[in-house]
Amino acid sequence: MAIIEDIKCARCDRKYSGVRSRCPYCGARRIGRGKYSEDSDNARGKMLIGVLILSVFVVAAAVLLFTADDGEAAEPPADSLLLPGEDGNVTEPGLEQAPTPTPTPTPTPTPEPTPMPITSVAITFAGNVITDEFTMPTIGYELGLRVRVEPPGAVEEHQIIWESSNDEVFSVVPVVLNEGGQIGEGATVTAIGAGSETLRVTVGEMYTELTVRVRAG
């Protein structure tokens, strides 16, 4: 349909464009609206009404669509989880919140008992302390010795070690003096060969030494 309709000349009965005021064929002036103009105006009016009605339906459908989307977004699923986002909390559906693990307390280690410190160590024979040296009169001679520790209870918390500086002159063998006692509280010294060597007894970090002389016989 043309925007400007043709009109029909009243004199020569020919059609020409509606923008002209005279007929290009016979020169007759245009009188009134011309033939078919009323029908053309009615058709244009019907088209405008149809377009308006269609626009109303489109707008109504859009409003219903956006309203339905907003209603669904306003109620997140029951199993959704709110997670922190850059602009605040966002809903992440399908995630279940894991339970917070309970921290296991670290067991406190039992402190090991501190051994009683030793203040002095001495070698005794028949209840008497031997200070510097002693002599064994012949090869094969045996002598029983023991160790004295101060304080007395500290000996039970430390290892006792007897040593000979030369086993070819004399040997020393630790022994247990009493039932339930500790090995090394006593020792047996045996003369092996003539000479002079050192006897040492160590208890914990303390020790004492004696000179042992062995005669040939």
Side-chain angles (χ1 to χ4, degrees):
M1 178 183 296
I3 296 176
I4 301 176
E5 299 291 338
D6 292 342
I7 61 177
K8 196 172 185 180
C9 178
R11 180 186 294 177
C12 63
D13 202 24
R14 292 184 180 182
K15 290 184 178 182
Y16 61 91
S17 177
V19 298
R20 296 177 177 272
S21 60
R22 293 177 177 271
C23 176
Y25 304 104
C26 65
R29 182 179 295 274
R30 177 179 173 181
I31 301 173
R33 297 171 59 187
K35 191 176 182 181
Y36 303 115
S37 61
E38 184 175 356
D39 294 339
S40 176
D41 290 342
N42 290 337
R44 186 178 298 134
K46 292 179 182 180
M47 182 183 67
L48 291 176
I49 293 173
V51 171
L52 290 175
I53 294 175
L54 181 61
S55 300
V56 170
F57 281 112
V58 172
V59 172
V63 171
L64 291 176
L65 179 63
F66 287 122
T67 303
D69 291 341
D70 292 342
E72 292 178 359
E75 298 180 0
D79 59 348
S80 64
L81 176 66
L82 289 179
L83 301 177
E86 295 181 357
D87 298 329
N89 289 338
V90 296
T91 300
E92 184 70 19
L95 295 180
E96 296 181 358
Q97 183 152 12
T100 303
T102 303
T104 303
T106 303
T108 303
T110 303
E112 296 183 359
T114 303
M116 185 182 300
I118 295 175
T119 58
S120 67
V121 176
I123 298 174
T124 65
F125 173 73
N128 298 316
V129 176
I130 305 174
T131 56
D132 296 321
E133 63 179 33
F134 65 91
T135 301
M136 303 186 75
T138 183
I139 296 174
Y141 187 83
E142 292 184 352
L143 189 66
L145 304 176
R146 68 179 303 166
V147 64
R148 178 183 293 175
V149 176
E150 296 293 340
V155 70
E156 300 176 359
E157 301 177 359
H158 298 274
Q159 184 180 7
I160 303 172
I161 301 174
W162 294 84
E163 298 175 283
S164 169
S165 61
N166 190 344
D167 289 338
E168 294 182 358
V169 176
F170 71 90
S171 64
V172 57
V173 178
V175 296
V176 179
L177 297 179
N178 301 310
E179 184 179 356
Q182 181 182 359
I183 187 169
E185 291 183 4
T188 300
V189 179
T190 304
I192 304 296
S196 177
E197 294 295 338
T198 301
L199 171 66
R200 170 184 285 193
V201 59
T202 304
V203 183
E205 298 181 355
M206 298 287 292
Y207 69 91
T208 187
E209 293 180 339
L210 295 177
T211 300
V212 179
R213 301 183 187 275
V214 178
R215 292 179 181 177

